Every structure is written in C-alpha cells, then in structure tokens.
Amino acid sequence: MLGRILSENIISGNDGHRYNFEVSEIRNLEGRAVQSIIENEVDFEIQEDKAVNIYLIKKQFSLSKESLLAEDIPSIKMKAFLMYGCYVLSGIPIIGQILGIIGFVLNILIVIALKKISGSQTLLKNFVIGMIAMVFSMVSIIFSIVGGLLLASYTDNASFGIFGIVFSLVVLLVCAYYGYLYHKELAQITNQPFFLYSFYLTMVGLATSFFYIGFLFLIGAIVLQVLAWIKFEEVKKSPNAL
C-alpha cells in the first residue's frame, strides 16, 4: 500500500486509515533521522493494523509551493541547486538582482529546514549574524573609502577613512567567526565535511583575491559546496539540540 509519513511513528495510508510503525521497519532509511523523512511518500505492508516492510519513495523534482516549503531531504537538495542557479545568474543586469534575492530566500528556507530537522539552537542564529556582519562590513568599507577620500580632499586628513577600514575589518572578522560556526555545524548535521572545507577555501580565496590564484580558491570552494549538496543524504541531531 502507498501512504505518507505524518510523524515519527504514524503513516497515513491511501485507504484513509492511519497506521503506527516502528523505525526499524523502514528498510531504506540508511541512517537518516526520522524527522527528515516526515511527509515522505512510502510503500508499505499491513500486519496486525501496523505498517511493516516500509520503503521510502524518492520524490520527483518539482517546483511546486509544497516542495519549496517542504522540509525533507529531497526538497532541501532541490532548493540548494536552485539557490546556486540563482546566484550564478545574479550577474545578469536587472533580472540578476531579483534572482540574487530569490537565491538568498532559498538559502534561508534551507537553513530553517535543517534547523528544524536537526533541532539546532544555533544554526540559524550563526547564519543570520554572519550575513548581517558581512553586509554591514561591505557597506562600511564603501562608506569609509568614499567618505575618507572626500574628507581628505578638503582637509588633507585621511584618518576617517583609515578608521573606517579598520572598523570594517573587525566586522569582517566577526563575519568570519560566525561563518565558521555555521559551516562547522552544517558539516556536522549533514555529515558532509566538504561544507567546512569550502569555508576554509573561501577564506583563503578572499585573503588572496588581489592575485589570480584567489579566484581559483573561490571557485574550488563553490565546487566543494555543490559536491556536499550532491552527497547530502541525511540530517543528524545537532550537538546542541534540546
């Protein structure tokens, strides 16, 4: 019989009845957390009013609203690939800005889904703080450079620009710290260390971005992240889950 997993121990069958089940009866769970397969379609047998010999059915690729808001592994992977597609196309004039915003929204949905499945108390917080710090530092650097040049042209005093850049670098360090915490936990709960390795490559790439080799490191970081999402098949409980 076909059905859908409603909770950690209940399946809703296509016959309109609900059946209790044991996790041990899922034959192709493959180490995934039960929370990550809620809403998954399943094929199962009935024995004494219980679901047994349960097999998860892989969902087909879909751009429906339900898939975009779903919190199972196939939907998370779909959002991740769409996110990278949006980021790659974000350089297109006008429409690229819209795609960049869509990519960021998808990123938020991914983090929220992983937070709920893993029970993490810090994943979303670290991501948000890191992103805010990054945006703030970029704005601060631009303001400091422009403001410093204008002030220096009238007063021959470049101290404002220097102070602003130093302040911006401090904020960048905050961004790097929370970015590290986020990627470290992401690697732990997905069992994909490539996420953390990609963060390291990103930092090296940014530090050497004045040289051509820096861009190679940044491209390598993106490749590692894509590989991590391709290999992503499970969500573990977060070390700080309640």
Side-chain angles (χ1 to χ4, degrees):
M1 178 180 290
L2 298 179
R4 180 169 55 90
I5 296 180
L6 294 181
S7 68
E8 296 183 16
N9 59 359
I10 297 178
I11 290 176
S12 175
N14 283 0
D15 60 354
H17 293 87
R18 294 182 177 181
Y19 301 92
N20 291 326
F21 72 94
E22 301 290 337
V23 176
S24 59
E25 289 292 337
I26 303 178
R27 305 308 184 197
N28 57 344
L29 187 60
E30 298 173 350
R32 284 171 282 184
V34 180
Q35 294 90 341
S36 67
I37 61 171
I38 292 175
E39 297 298 328
N40 257 80
E41 294 181 358
V42 290
D43 186 327
F44 64 99
E45 298 176 359
I46 302 171
Q47 188 176 85
E48 297 180 356
D49 291 329
K50 289 187 177 182
V52 298
N53 292 327
I54 305 166
Y55 288 88
L56 302 174
I57 300 175
K58 289 188 177 180
K59 292 186 175 181
Q60 299 297 317
F61 181 84
S62 171
L63 287 177
S64 65
K65 178 181 177 181
E66 291 75 16
S67 294
L68 290 174
L69 297 178
E71 296 170 353
D72 56 87
I73 289 177
S75 297
I76 292 174
K77 293 180 72 168
M78 179 195 71
K79 287 192 280 280
F81 297 138
L82 286 175
M83 173 187 71
Y84 283 111
C86 289
Y87 285 156
V88 168
L89 298 175
S90 62
I92 300 175
I94 302 178
I95 192 175
Q97 297 177 355
I98 298 174
L99 291 174
I101 294 173
I102 293 174
F104 181 73
V105 171
L106 289 170
N107 204 340
I108 290 288
L109 292 175
I110 290 169
V111 177
I112 290 174
L114 291 173
K115 172 186 178 296
K116 289 182 178 180
I117 297 173
S118 66
S120 173
Q121 302 299 304
T122 56
L123 189 70
L124 182 60
K125 181 193 73 173
N126 291 336
F127 174 79
V128 171
I129 293 177
M131 292 301 297
I132 291 175
M134 182 179 68
V135 172
F136 191 82
S137 64
M138 291 174 63
V139 173
S140 179
I141 288 174
I142 295 173
F143 180 76
S144 299
I145 292 175
V146 175
L149 289 174
L150 289 174
L151 187 63
S153 65
Y154 288 104
T155 64
D156 294 327
N157 185 350
S159 59
F160 174 81
I162 295 174
F163 172 79
I165 291 175
V166 171
F167 175 76
S168 301
L169 290 175
V170 172
V171 179
L172 271 176
L173 289 176
V174 174
C175 172
Y177 173 71
Y178 280 97
Y180 165 75
L181 293 179
Y182 166 71
H183 284 88
K184 179 183 178 182
E185 187 173 2
L186 180 63
Q188 289 175 334
I189 64 177
T190 60
N191 197 30
Q192 294 300 326
F194 281 163
F195 282 121
L196 187 56
Y197 299 158
S198 72
F199 172 77
Y200 293 146
L201 275 185
T202 299
M203 292 296 99
V204 175
L206 291 175
T208 58
S209 58
F210 292 105
F211 309 98
Y212 289 116
I213 192 173
F215 294 100
L216 295 178
F217 283 124
L218 292 175
I219 292 173
I222 294 173
V223 170
L224 285 181
Q225 284 210 22
V226 172
L227 285 175
W229 284 117
I230 291 174
K231 293 167 62 66
F232 166 58
E233 293 293 343
E234 64 175 317
V235 179
K236 296 183 175 180
K237 277 292 185 182
S238 172
N240 59 48
L242 294 178

